[in-house]
């Protein structure tokens, strides 16, 4: 007998981001491995409606629905550095964070920074990648070394400070199963400028501002218009915090527990039949 006949398997698929930027043979191989796991599973869950639609389009779910359970935020406002990180000079700044890889589309922010001379830009994350080297070359070519900062991986306390003190959080990513930094920034009351790609409009909702084009002039127009809206609404930060408050691990845990209980009940009923 298969192990899944004795112990039901709940499979959580965070995303299918490998569909973008990978060779066709690699995509086929990964989909085949994923299909084998789905075939064994009693239930499948994922983190966004976008991811659920994409999974349904590329994997045979054997008629089952996918349970969508959103991620929770991980910002601890009590754990924050007391002062500005040493790598960041005084003055207003824009912030982004993530693995510095091509899918994050961070090079568009370097070009954007050229048109926003009043701000510094912090791009935090693993700076040892080939794409990070490309960003550093672009910064040097544009003579922005005094304004665009790649500090590498920052501590959780530094990350929280950067969220809390940035003028805005920028996230032009092209491929996200969820996009946790978006709601993390919102939980700190900071306005978010995001791409319209994959799951990000779903996660950012109506309070985020969106880029559907990445020419610097178009990005500047969206940024300036969004900052004007935020500046003229003293309650905007409170609205962002209230929206982000729905994304908690306590809520996610309750939803996962309910899913496990449904699966166990169905499994017990089948064995009793």
């Amino acid at each position: 007998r298969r192990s899944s006949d004795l112990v039901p398997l709940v499979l959580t698929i965070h995303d299918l981001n490998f569909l973008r930027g990978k060779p066709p043979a690699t995509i086929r191989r990964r989909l085949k491995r994923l299909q084998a796991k789905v075939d064994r599973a009693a239930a499948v869950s994922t983190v966004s409606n976008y991811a659920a639609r994409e999974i349904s389009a590329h994997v045979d779910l054997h008629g089952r629905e996918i349970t969508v359970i959103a991620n929770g935020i991980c910002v601890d406002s009590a754990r924050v550095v007391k002062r500005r990180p040493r790598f960041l000079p005084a003055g207003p700044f824009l912030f982004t964070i993530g693995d510095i890889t091509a899918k994050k589309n961070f090079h568009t922010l370097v070009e954007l920074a050229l048109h926003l001379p009043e701000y510094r830009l912090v791009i935090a994350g693993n700076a040892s990648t080939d794409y990070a080297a490309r960003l550093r070359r672009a910064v040097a070519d544009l003579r922005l070394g005094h304004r665009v900062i790649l500090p590498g991986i920052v501590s959780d306390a530094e990350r929280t400070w950067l969220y809390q003190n940035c003028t805005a959080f920028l996230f032009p990513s092209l491929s996200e199963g969820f996009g946790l930094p978006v709601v993390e920034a919102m939980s700190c009351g900071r306005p978010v400028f995001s791409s319209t790609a994959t799951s990000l409009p779903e996660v950012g909702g109506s309070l985020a501002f969106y880029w559907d084009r990445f020419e610097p002039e178009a990005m500047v127009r969206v940024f300036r218009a969004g900052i004007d809206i935020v500046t003229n609404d003293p309650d905007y930060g409170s609205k962002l915090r209230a929206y982000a408050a729905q994304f908690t691990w306590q809520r996610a845990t309750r939803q996962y527990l309910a899913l496990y209980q449904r699966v166990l009940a169905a499994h017990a009923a089948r064995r009793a039949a």
Side-chain angles (χ1 to χ4, degrees), residues 98-113:
D99 289 334
I100 302 181
T101 57
K103 76 169 189 174
K104 297 299 184 182
N105 205 26
F106 287 157
H107 66 278
T108 63
L109 300 183
V110 175
E111 297 164 359
L112 175 65

Side-chain angles (χ1 to χ4, degrees), residues 172-186:
S173 179
L174 299 176
S175 184
E176 298 290 331
F178 186 76
L180 197 55
V182 167
V183 288
E184 289 180 338
M186 288 180 166

Side-chain angles (χ1 to χ4, degrees), residues 8 17 40 71 119 129 142 147 153 157 163 168 175 182 190 234 273:
N17 284 345
R40 292 173 47 226
N71 286 334
Y119 298 105
T129 64
L142 294 172
R147 288 205 294 112
I153 297 172
Y163 275 138
S175 184
V182 167
R190 309 321 298 160

Side-chain angles (χ1 to χ4, degrees), residues 57-135:
H58 290 88
V59 176
D60 183 358
L61 295 167
H62 308 291
R64 290 169 300 190
E65 292 186 2
I66 301 178
T67 300
V68 175
I69 301 175
N71 286 334
I73 58 175
C74 304
V75 175
D76 183 356
S77 58
R79 294 185 60 192
V80 57
V81 293
K82 302 300 183 184
R83 60 182 61 86
R84 179 179 291 255
R86 292 183 178 180
F87 58 74
L88 180 59
F93 69 96
L94 309 173
F95 176 47
T96 193
I97 191 169
D99 289 334
I100 302 181
T101 57
K103 76 169 189 174
K104 297 299 184 182
N105 205 26
F106 287 157
H107 66 278
T108 63
L109 300 183
V110 175
E111 297 164 359
L112 175 65
L114 188 64
H115 299 266
L116 299 175
E118 66 269 43
Y119 298 105
R120 286 189 169 83
L121 168 64
V122 177
I123 304 175
N126 179 7
S128 64
T129 64
D130 291 341
Y131 183 70
R134 172 186 167 188
L135 294 189

